Every structure is written in C-alpha cells, then in structure tokens.
C-alpha cells in the first residue's frame, strides 16, 4: 500500500474513526475489528486516539513484514515480552464482559451455553484486545482459562466478570510480540475477513434485539440490577453509573418534551419499553382467545383451529371478513411465536 500519510489517517479518523477506517488504512486489522464491534471503544477509545495517531502511522510505515516493538525497533526471536499495560488489561476485561453479554442476549438458547458458548465468547473478546497493535497472546490458554472458570459461576448474573478477569490475567501472562509476516495481505482479503467477523458477532445479536426484544430488555434489566446491587457500598459510584445509563433516555425526554426520571428510576424506564411489548402479547392472546398462562402448544393448537375456521376458501359467502380475520390471526400467532422463542429453545 506504500507509505501511510498522517493527514489521510486523521481524515479517516474524523469521518470513520468509530468504525475503524483509519486502522484498516494502517493495516491494524485487530484494532479495526475491535472498533467496528464497539463503535470506537464506545466513543472513548476513538477520542483517546487523537494524540496517538502519529505513533500509529510511524509504526505502519516501517517494514510491515517485520514485527516491531513500540519504539519501532525490530523484535527478534526470543525477545522479552512487551511491557504490561493497565489500559490494555482493563480493555480486555471490559470487552470480555461485553462479548459475554452479547452472547447471553443472542445465543443463550443454545444447549451447553454456560459451559461452552459463553466462555468461548468471553475468551474471544479478551483475545481480540490482546491482539491489538504489535502484541498478541496465546488464544488456546486464554480460552482454557475461560472454560475452567465459567462452570464455577454457572448461571450467575455477573458471572461474566470473574471469567473475563481470569482470561485477561492469562492473556497478560502469555503476552508476546506478533511474528513478522512474509508479505502484506491484499486489502480485499483483509476486508473480506473483517466482514465475516463482523457478521458473526452482529447477526445473532441483531436477531435477538429485533425479534426477541422483550427477552433482551428483560436480561438487560436483570444485569443492570445485579450490577447496581453489587455497588451498594459505593453510593456515589452507583449514582454516577445510574445517571450514565439514564442519560440517553433523559436527552430523548427533553427533546420530546417529556419529563426526566429521577435517581433510582432506571427500572421504571425499562419497564416502559417492556410493557409496550407485553401489550402486544396480550392483544395477540385475545385474538387467539387463549389465556396468558397458556403453554405454547395450546396456542399453536388454537391457531390451527382458527386458521381452518376463518380460511377464505371455507367462507365464500363472507370472503372479505374471513380474509381480514385470517390475516389478523396469522399476525397474532407470528407475534407470539417471536416472543415465545427464547423460552422454547432452538
């Protein structure tokens, strides 16, 4: 790709920094993927990079086939490991928790989730941070630490925290510089790989958010409740976190003329969103004439009976009414199908 220019890097940082465009330009694919999945480290990492871009450009303009330390000098085989970075360690813990929560939202219906899927997700997030820049770690040992630690906190609301810490400690103990590449990879192959990784992360999460919104919000409420309960002995920190969680809602309320919520009212805010979907569920149950406690098998049986009764072909003398009723029954069943899917499993 030739010499990277600083002004181009700053321009890409300004127009597409939160999705990692400048890191793609500099050949920092792990950093680019991390930014794609976290929107620039939740915005904070993107802003922090403003003063670090010159060092990134200088490192990228060295021979890309040679592994180099932070000072730009080539790293030889058997060299001492890179120094420990508290910022990198904190990032590993946070992203491990973030990947774990994403897995809980999008993949929790998979069998053996807590024993296999969740620890693998946390370990992948930790390893992604450990691979940013010229450093990397031992993926196998990081995943092993997660697999060993996860059963100890099986099903716990905050179980992702100790698992992520254990994986981060393991990754820090096995940190090393990346080996040099034989040649720089083509841009197309790099973008293809980044796209696949982004889809692997986003597809299950997006599916859950859009089709299982009630379950997603309920899990979010449970996680926030557990976190705030854990911070009961730090009232100032708890109040600050609560204010940050409510900030988007308060801004929306001010823009729309609604009233803001006072401290300790975050559960009420989430309940408002959840109640909207609960109303949709109740309306669908009324269409199918079943109780709210009815199992899904009973709902399905009732749906089949009503579809057979109101099929337009069976009601030629009132085709208009039958067609409208038939569509209403189908929409109600599809609504209940989406809402019941998390409890029914895969």
């Amino acid at each position: 790709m030739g010499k990277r220019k600083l002004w181009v890097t700053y321009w890409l940082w300004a127009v597409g920094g939160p999705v990692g465009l400048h890191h793609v330009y500099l050949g920092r694919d792990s950093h680019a993927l991390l930014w794609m999945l976290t929107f620039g480290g939740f915005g904070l990492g993107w802003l922090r990079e403003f003063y670090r871009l010159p060092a990134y450009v200088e490192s990228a303009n060295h021979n890309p086939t040679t592994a180099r330390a932070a000072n730009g000098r080539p790293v030889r085989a058997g060299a001492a490991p890179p120094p420990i970075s508290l910022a990198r360690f904190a990032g590993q813990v946070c992203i491990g928790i973030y990947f774990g929560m994403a897995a809980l939202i999008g993949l929790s219906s998979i069998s053996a989730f807590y024993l296999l899927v969740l620890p693998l997700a946390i370990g992948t997030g930790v390893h992604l941070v450990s691979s940013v820049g010229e450093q990397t770690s031992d993926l196998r040992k990081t995943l092993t630490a997660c697999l060993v630690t996860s059963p100890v906190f099986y099903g716990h609301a905050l179980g992702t925290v100790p698992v992520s810490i254990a994986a981060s400690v393991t990754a820090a103990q096995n940190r090393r510089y990346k080996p040099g590449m034989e040649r720089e990879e083509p841009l197309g192959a790099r973008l293809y790989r980044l796209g696949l990784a982004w889809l692997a992360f986003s597809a299950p999460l997006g599916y859950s958010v859009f089709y299982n919104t009630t379950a997603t919000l309920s899990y979010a409420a449970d996680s926030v409740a557990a976190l705030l309960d854990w911070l009961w002995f730090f009232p100032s920190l708890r109040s600050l976190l609560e204010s940050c969680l409510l900030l988007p809602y308060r801004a929306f309320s001010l823009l729309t003329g609604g009233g803001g919520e006072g401290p300790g009212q975050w559960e009420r805010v989430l309940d408002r969103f959840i109640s909207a979907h609960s109303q949709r569920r109740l309306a669908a149950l009324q269409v199918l004439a079943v109780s709210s406690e009815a199992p899904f098998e009973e709902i399905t049986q009732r749906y089949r009976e009503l579809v057979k009764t109101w099929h337009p072909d069976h009601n030629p003398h009132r085709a208009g009414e039958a067609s409208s009723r038939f569509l209403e029954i189908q929409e109600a069943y599809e609504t209940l199908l989406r809402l019941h899917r998390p409890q029914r499993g895969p």
Side-chain angles (χ1 to χ4, degrees):
M1 187 179 286
K3 292 286 185 179
R4 274 72 169 186
K5 299 183 182 300
L6 183 60
W7 71 267
V8 175
T9 303
Y10 269 108
W11 182 77
L12 291 173
W13 173 86
V15 301
V19 293
L21 289 184
H22 56 302
H23 288 303
V24 174
Y25 173 68
L26 296 175
R28 301 167 61 89
D29 290 353
S30 296
H31 213 157
L33 178 61
L34 178 62
W35 260 214
M36 290 177 185
L37 301 182
T38 63
F39 204 68
F42 311 106
L44 299 177
W46 170 61
L47 295 174
R48 178 175 174 265
E49 286 183 325
F50 181 81
Y51 299 103
R52 302 175 63 87
L53 292 182
Y56 291 165
V57 173
E58 181 181 0
S59 177
N61 282 333
H62 285 296
N63 184 358
T65 63
T66 303
R68 295 181 179 269
N71 57 12
R73 296 178 180 177
V75 176
R76 297 180 180 179
I84 293 180
S85 169
L86 292 180
R88 184 184 293 266
F89 182 82
Q92 289 172 345
V93 174
C94 292
I95 298 303
I97 295 172
Y98 172 65
F99 271 53
M101 292 184 65
L104 281 163
I105 293 173
L107 301 172
S108 58
S109 60
I110 297 178
S111 58
F113 171 79
Y114 286 98
L115 297 177
L116 185 62
V117 179
L118 181 60
L120 291 180
I122 296 174
T124 301
V126 171
H127 185 72
L128 177 60
V129 179
S130 69
S131 299
V132 166
E134 290 77 23
Q135 298 185 28
T136 187
S137 186
D138 192 319
L139 176 60
R140 183 179 300 177
K141 291 182 179 179
T142 301
L143 295 180
T144 300
C146 293
L147 291 170
V148 171
T149 309
S150 185
V152 179
F153 303 94
Y154 186 94
H156 196 280
L158 292 179
T160 55
V161 177
V163 176
S164 184
I165 292 175
S168 299
V169 171
T170 303
Q173 291 175 339
N174 295 276
R175 66 193 185 281
R176 63 178 186 271
Y177 288 107
K178 293 178 180 177
M181 300 180 297
E182 294 183 0
R183 60 183 179 84
E184 189 175 5
E185 290 186 285
L187 179 61
R190 292 167 50 212
L191 292 177
Y192 176 73
R193 187 169 58 246
L194 287 172
L196 289 180
W198 182 83
L199 285 175
F201 179 88
S202 304
L205 188 61
Y207 174 84
S208 180
V209 168
F210 285 105
Y211 290 97
N212 301 316
T213 312
T214 300
T216 301
L217 290 175
S218 297
Y219 171 73
D222 292 341
S223 299
V224 173
L227 179 59
L228 293 179
D229 289 342
W230 185 69
L231 294 174
W232 66 268
F233 47 87
F234 292 127
S236 299
L237 181 59
R238 173 174 177 163
S239 178
L240 176 61
L241 179 59
E242 201 169 40
S243 298
C244 292
L245 291 171
L246 285 172
L247 186 60
Y249 175 77
R250 287 172 175 167
F252 175 78
S253 298
L254 291 175
L255 291 174
T256 57
E261 298 287 344
Q265 300 298 316
W266 66 270
E267 288 178 303
R268 185 179 303 173
V269 175
L270 283 174
D271 285 342
R272 290 181 181 177
F273 289 98
I274 296 174
S275 64
H277 296 274
S278 299
Q279 292 174 3
R280 289 176 53 200
R281 179 177 181 273
L282 291 175
L285 291 172
Q286 290 178 357
V287 170
L288 299 181
V290 292
S291 66
S292 58
E293 293 80 15
F296 194 79
E297 291 74 15
E298 180 181 342
I299 294 174
T300 301
Q301 182 180 359
R302 180 60 177 166
Y303 161 73
R304 291 172 179 171
E305 293 174 355
L306 291 174
V307 164
K308 185 176 181 180
T309 301
W310 288 99
H311 197 283
D313 292 344
H314 299 162
N315 298 273
H317 56 288
R318 46 176 180 173
E321 179 185 359
S323 178
S324 176
R325 181 66 173 160
F326 182 78
L327 292 176
E328 184 182 17
I329 293 169
Q330 282 190 322
E331 291 177 358
Y333 182 72
E334 290 174 359
T335 297
L336 295 173
L337 181 65
R338 290 194 298 268
L339 297 177
H340 277 257
R341 187 169 287 129
Q343 288 77 30
R344 295 172 59 214

